[in-house]
Amino acid sequence: MKPKFIRIILALSVVIVASAYFVIKQFFQTPTEKLTEYDYAVTFFSTHTKGKMNVNNKIVFIDETEKQREYEIKGSNVTQLIQDADQFYGFSSKPGKNIVFKTSSGFSQYSIKVPSADASKLAVRQIAKGKNGYIYGFSVEDGSTGVHRGYILYKNEKGEEVLTPKINVAITGLLETDSKIFYTGYELVSDKYELLYVNEATNEIKLISEDSDFRELLLVNGKVMTVGNPHTSRLEKEDTKEKKVSLKSVNPSTLEVKEIHIDSERILTAYVFQDKLRVITKEGKMLEFTSDLELVVEKEVSSTEFTKLFTTNEVVVQKVQTSADKVVVLTTPKAASTTEMGTLLEFDADTLEFKKSIVIPVSGDEEWKNDYANFIIIEKR
């Protein structure tokens, strides 16, 4: 056998062995597993590292034993996460930068087809599950200042995609019931917060109320309920009228609106518990209302670990999510950290008794400063 031919055979053997080693190594380093085996999916967004611009996004899947799987997306900012069966979607505030996890091996780019001339400029700001599919609340990111613009995309009874007329608010909340899409938003020109709805039968938009800083938009026992903190427009004087926390209940069929005011400086958070609206005030009160705004529970909770999270100077409360038996809070350090990106804290849904905390550490020896964070509770399948 000629020496040249032998060298070629040896070279090919080395390449084949090296390739096989790489494939086997990758297989054992990144085994495929179901992401639904985890309990939470968390997104962290940062723009600076040690004072220098460094846009980075990390998405972490983590379970209650603190086992985690981390993905890094340089230059991205996924602000919304949803679960669709075994797949997970991440929606960016940058147009066209959405992603999907079909397996645990990684993510791919994901685009939403929007029948609009502004399609290439649209970023998902809010998303909700509707009876005919997902409902997307978009903002138009075209560099314009002095005005907010957006759209809502949904499917009608025939399964056809429908795009609303242009919306001149920044959408802050979104839900569907009774063939209507209710949403809250901030209108920059008049400096007002508004509650509106889309009639899915006609695709028309109607205003329900305005002038409240809507903290939450929730569906409670069939009623659409809002929790609004006091808001003084820059166009009016501070003392023109008394400002109080506002609670509204809207009958989605008749659009009848009931409203009461709470003698509180502001609401820290609000959530649904056993078909009731539960709010936590800055003064440390837990108030529970029926969907008709009848107060049924009033309890002092100022000394609980749950309430203290909202008043400490060490962490920022980024998001509160609930399940049937627990309330989960995502906090992040106020300052840059080399130890943790954030912490998930679990509380009993009824008593708000602290149950456990799950720390999400910083990878390696890097420093992390959060600009934004969000999470979802994963539905087991």
Side-chain angles (χ1 to χ4, degrees):
M1 187 176 292
K2 294 183 178 180
K4 184 177 180 181
F5 183 73
I6 293 174
R7 287 197 297 270
I8 293 173
I9 293 296
L10 289 173
L12 287 173
S13 300
V14 170
V15 171
I16 291 170
V17 171
S19 299
Y21 170 77
F22 177 78
V23 170
I24 293 170
K25 182 181 178 182
Q26 289 293 104
F27 177 80
F28 283 105
Q29 280 188 340
T30 58
T32 300
E33 60 185 346
K34 283 189 175 182
L35 291 173
T36 50
E37 293 175 0
Y38 292 89
D39 295 298
Y40 303 101
V42 192
T43 179
F44 297 99
F45 171 61
S46 176
T47 57
H48 289 79
T49 301
K50 296 182 179 178
K52 296 181 179 180
M53 179 67 75
N54 180 28
V55 178
N56 201 356
N57 190 185
K58 293 191 177 184
I59 296 178
V60 180
F61 292 83
I62 192 164
D63 69 12
E64 293 192 348
T65 68
E66 298 192 14
K67 172 190 173 184
Q68 72 176 60
R69 194 177 190 98
E70 180 182 301
Y71 302 86
E72 186 173 23
I73 317 170
K74 286 282 189 181
S76 183
N77 55 340
V78 170
T79 58
Q80 302 284 331
L81 294 169
I82 63 167
Q83 177 185 356
D84 187 6
D86 291 338
Q87 298 183 5
F88 294 84
Y89 292 82
F91 298 95
S92 172
S93 59
K94 291 183 178 180
K97 298 294 184 180
N98 307 318
I99 61 172
V100 57
F101 293 88
K102 294 185 177 181
T103 69
S104 62
S105 61
F107 58 86
S108 57
Q109 293 293 317
Y110 168 73
S111 62
I112 305 170
K113 294 181 180 179
V114 184
S116 168
D118 289 322
S120 63
K121 307 169 188 174
L122 298 183
V124 176
R125 293 298 182 176
Q126 295 291 327
I127 185 168
K129 287 185 178 180
K131 62 181 179 180
N132 300 313
Y134 286 103
I135 302 168
Y136 301 96
F138 295 103
S139 65
V140 180
E141 303 295 327
D142 58 1
S144 298
T145 58
V147 65
H148 291 303
R149 296 182 297 124
Y151 300 91
I152 294 175
L153 180 68
Y154 63 96
K155 287 185 178 180
N156 61 18
E157 294 287 352
K158 299 178 182 179
E160 301 167 332
E161 289 194 331
V162 180
L163 190 69
T164 63
K166 193 170 290 185
I167 295 168
N168 293 319
V169 300
I171 300 170
T172 57
L174 188 68
L175 66 82
E176 181 195 47
T177 185
D178 198 52
S179 297
K180 300 178 184 72
I181 299 168
F182 293 84
Y183 66 97
T184 52
Y186 174 66
E187 207 283 302
L188 183 61
V189 176
S190 63
D191 190 23
K192 289 183 179 180
Y193 292 85
E194 300 177 346
L195 171 62
L196 309 98
Y197 77 95
V198 181
N199 185 331
E200 294 181 0
T202 62
N203 200 33
E204 293 179 316
I205 297 173
K206 300 289 185 181
L207 176 69
I208 297 175
S209 66
E210 62 181 12
D211 198 27
S212 180
D213 180 358
F214 294 108
R215 175 78 182 185
E216 301 288 349
L217 175 67
L218 300 166
L219 187 63
V220 185
N221 197 29
K223 300 288 181 67
V224 177
M225 301 191 73
T226 63
V227 178
N229 281 327
H231 171 68
T232 299
S233 169
R234 66 174 183 273
L235 305 178
E236 64 179 329
K237 294 182 179 179
E238 181 74 30
D239 58 356
T240 54
K241 58 182 177 180
E242 186 179 6
K243 300 293 183 179
K244 290 185 177 182
V245 168
S246 165
L247 300 185
K248 289 187 175 75
S249 175
V250 183
N251 184 317
S253 298
T254 64
L255 297 175
E256 176 190 4
V257 180
K258 293 182 179 180
E259 182 179 16
I260 63 171
H261 293 91
I262 299 176
D263 189 16
S264 172
E265 185 176 339
R266 65 186 177 92
I267 297 299
L268 299 178
T269 189
Y271 57 93
V272 182
F273 177 70
Q274 295 182 350
D275 289 334
K276 303 289 193 305
L277 173 68
R278 182 176 282 186
V279 300
I280 310 297
T281 70
K282 183 182 178 182
E283 294 76 18
K285 297 286 187 180
M286 181 182 77
L287 307 175
E288 200 167 283
F289 296 87
T290 68
S291 57
D292 290 323
L293 297 176
E294 177 188 356
L295 178 63
V296 291
V297 174
E298 182 174 353
K299 184 179 179 182
E300 176 67 40
V301 293
S302 59
S303 62
T304 64
E305 293 299 319
F306 181 87
T307 304
K308 290 178 182 178
L309 289 175
F310 295 85
T311 56
T312 178
N313 290 321
E314 296 179 358
V315 300
V316 176
V317 173
Q318 296 283 0
K319 188 70 175 181
V320 179
Q321 298 278 20
T322 61
S323 66
D325 62 343
K326 62 187 176 184
V327 178
V328 187
V329 183
L330 171 64
T331 66
T332 57
K334 276 195 173 180
S337 174
T338 57
T339 58
E340 69 167 284
M341 290 191 291
T343 301
L344 291 162
L345 299 104
E346 298 180 355
F347 298 86
D348 182 88
D350 185 14
T351 64
L352 292 183
E353 179 184 355
F354 174 73
K355 296 173 70 175
K356 68 180 302 180
S357 63
I358 304 170
V359 177
I360 304 170
V362 175
S363 303
D365 58 354
E366 68 179 337
E367 180 182 270
W368 187 267
K369 175 68 172 70
N370 279 291
D371 287 89
Y372 180 84
N374 198 356
F375 80 104
I376 59 172
I377 300 173
I378 294 176
E379 296 177 6
K380 297 298 184 179
R381 300 185 65 82

